Amino acid sequence: MERTFLMIKPDAVQRNLIGEIISRIEQKGLKIVGGKLMTVPQSLAEEHYSEHKSKPFYNNLIEFITSAPVFAMVVEAEDAVHISRHIIGKTNPSEATPGTIRGDLGLTVGRNIIHGSDSVESAKKEIALWFKPEELSDYTETRETWLYE
Ligand SMILES: Nc1ncnc2c1ncn2[C@@H]1O[C@H](COP(=O)(O)OP(=O)(O)O)[C@@H](O)[C@H]1O
Ligand SMILES: [Mg+2]
């Protein structure tokens, strides 16, 4: 089993899309092992997006992500990183395929609904950055025998 970090961004929280997005994640088969609504401290936002520090959109991105609450989550599945990036869709919602979260719910790259870790390595880093170990639950869902061979 693999875990990844997902974050419903302030635009989607403000648009009351938490339920819609979590519903898609649950229906796909991903197991939610941690989740919380939180206002992101400046330092956490900067650390999370440190790889983009030199980009022209960096300041706006930090301002946006700290502007209102986000809903942070850890989800678990076989191949969780790849599968969740796939159902999230391309970074720019104008290019994201219909049927994906960004393709169905977003319009522009600066308001693209949700974050998902892009590799197993960054998932590990991001989970440790956003969640304390005791905020994550290990448990079995009865549906698992119907999701996996
Ligand atoms: N050209 C851009 N203009 C404005 N914001 C951008 C742009 N590119 C990326 N972003 C923002 O920065 C975030 C991080 O970028 P990136 O890691 O490339 O995408 P992803 O979130 O798909 O992994 C994006 O989700 C988006 O919110
Ligand atoms: Mg990224």
Side-chain angles (χ1 to χ4, degrees):
M1 283 293 168
E2 189 174 282
R3 287 181 173 182
T4 192
F5 173 70
L6 305 179
M7 184 237 306
I8 301 175
K9 294 182 180 182
D11 52 335
V13 174
Q14 291 297 318
R15 291 173 56 205
N16 298 144
L17 292 172
I18 294 176
E20 166 70 29
I21 293 165
I22 289 182
S23 177
R24 288 166 179 238
I25 289 163
E26 287 184 317
Q27 284 174 31
K28 180 68 178 170
L30 296 157
K31 175 164 71 182
I32 297 168
V33 298
K36 57 186 172 184
L37 185 89
M38 59 185 284
T39 301
V40 184
Q42 181 79 14
S43 57
L44 175 57
E46 288 176 4
E47 176 75 31
H48 176 77
Y49 282 122
S50 56
E51 66 168 311
H52 296 301
K53 203 168 169 81
S54 62
K55 308 270 173 68
F57 58 80
Y58 175 78
N59 285 340
N60 284 346
L61 178 59
I62 298 299
E63 198 180 320
F64 167 55
I65 225 71
T66 57
S67 65
V70 303
F71 193 87
M73 264 175 293
V74 177
V75 301
E76 189 178 282
E78 281 182 15
D79 210 17
V81 171
H82 171 76
I83 286 170
S84 52
R85 291 280 292 192
H86 205 58
I87 66 168
I88 286 171
K90 283 196 184 171
T91 303
N92 191 334
S94 72
E95 285 160 17
T97 311
T100 63
I101 294 170
R102 286 169 172 164
D104 285 347
L105 305 176
L107 289 169
T108 63
V109 70
R111 298 286 183 270
N112 68 353
I113 312 283
I114 183 167
H115 165 86
S117 308
D118 64 6
S119 66
V120 174
E121 196 194 354
S122 41
K124 285 199 179 118
K125 263 201 295 198
E126 292 174 2
I127 291 167
L129 185 64
W130 287 79
F131 283 87
K132 299 180 188 131
E134 63 268 27
E135 290 177 314
L136 304 176
S137 296
D138 273 313
Y139 65 105
T140 304
E141 289 179 329
T142 50
R143 65 173 175 164
E144 284 170 28
T145 39
W146 303 104
L147 287 168
Y148 300 103
E149 280 187 280

